[in-house]
Amino acid sequence: MMLEKELIYHEYVQRENEFVRADYQPEFEFYNAVGKGDIEKVKVLLEDSFSNKEGLGRLSQNPLQNLKYHFAITAAMLARYCIEGGMEMSDSYSLSDFYIQKADIAKTDEEITELHKLMTLDYTKKMRGLNKRKITSMPVARAIDYIYDHLHTRITLEVLSNYVNLNPSYLSRVFKKETGLSVTRYIRIKKLETARNMLIYSDFTSADISSILAFPSQSYFTDVFHKEFGMTPMEYRNKNLFNSELVKEVKKST
């Protein structure tokens, strides 16, 4: 059963989406993965070449210039999304400006594609780093990395303490001191944030998500989700599906 859940979880993380201009869902999975600092998923989404991406509108008769325009749109969207995720505005826009300037002097599609990968991973790593901004110890940083990579499993304090080679009580104390949250609370929040995104950016049912993210039961998942977000998973999906400001922004840009 554990192997099956792991395969389903990684299938969600690694699912490849064919983007067409009438279908925005893959675009939001991309921006959401960057905003969450999900390096594993972003690397998979970057496997498809930016220069061969389907659905790019014609903004210039010159193919290279057209790609540069779409690169600039992507940079602007990444900057805005990461600002909303907690990145300092000046840092986010400076990063965007830097890569747009590099793209402006690029001579080939291949250079643009490589810059797109570098820019996307740069933003992703910085967003992941934001989650560790107040962390000073390597064990807690490693514990958080483990949590991000194993949200599809039942993560316990004992599992984490074994992974970072610390006494459970000591890890519990330093984790709370450096993150402001208990280990259990931190894991629950990250699972719920992932569940929230899966409700919007996938077709998985509430029961599926509960199982994939290793919640004890669907009723428990529904209960803690309601306590955290003030509505049931299905209410959240119905309210938020394709109704964000980011969706509106992408529609304008395309």
Side-chain angles (χ1 to χ4, degrees), residues 155-167:
I155 309 169
T156 65
L157 175 60
E158 287 69 27
V159 168
L160 287 176
S161 62
N162 287 333
Y163 180 73
V164 302
N165 197 28
L166 282 181
N167 176 275

Side-chain angles (χ1 to χ4, degrees), residues 67-172:
L67 198 60
K68 289 182 179 182
Y69 285 145
H70 282 286
F71 181 96
I73 291 172
T74 302
M77 293 297 294
L78 285 171
R80 174 166 179 169
Y81 203 102
C82 290
I83 289 169
E84 291 178 354
M87 185 179 289
E88 291 292 332
M89 184 179 295
S90 58
D91 293 340
S92 188
Y93 283 133
S94 293
L95 199 61
S96 171
D97 291 345
F98 171 79
Y99 282 105
I100 290 174
Q101 290 170 16
K102 291 291 185 182
D104 186 50
I105 60 176
K107 304 298 183 183
T108 65
D109 290 359
E110 289 73 20
E111 288 182 66
I112 299 293
T113 294
E114 185 61 26
L115 275 172
H116 177 263
K117 290 181 180 179
L118 290 173
M119 174 179 68
T120 302
L121 287 172
D122 199 356
Y123 269 110
T124 306
K125 290 174 182 178
K126 283 179 168 57
M127 290 306 294
R128 185 159 187 166
L130 285 176
N131 294 292
K132 297 187 249 182
R133 178 179 291 174
K134 298 180 180 179
I135 296 171
T136 57
S137 69
M138 183 59 70
V140 175
R142 290 187 64 220
I144 286 179
D145 279 336
Y146 184 93
I147 291 169
Y148 270 93
D149 293 335
H150 294 82
L151 290 176
H152 60 290
T153 69
R154 181 174 177 269
I155 309 169
T156 65
L157 175 60
E158 287 69 27
V159 168
L160 287 176
S161 62
N162 287 333
Y163 180 73
V164 302
N165 197 28
L166 282 181
N167 176 275
S169 297
Y170 180 73
L171 176 60
S172 179

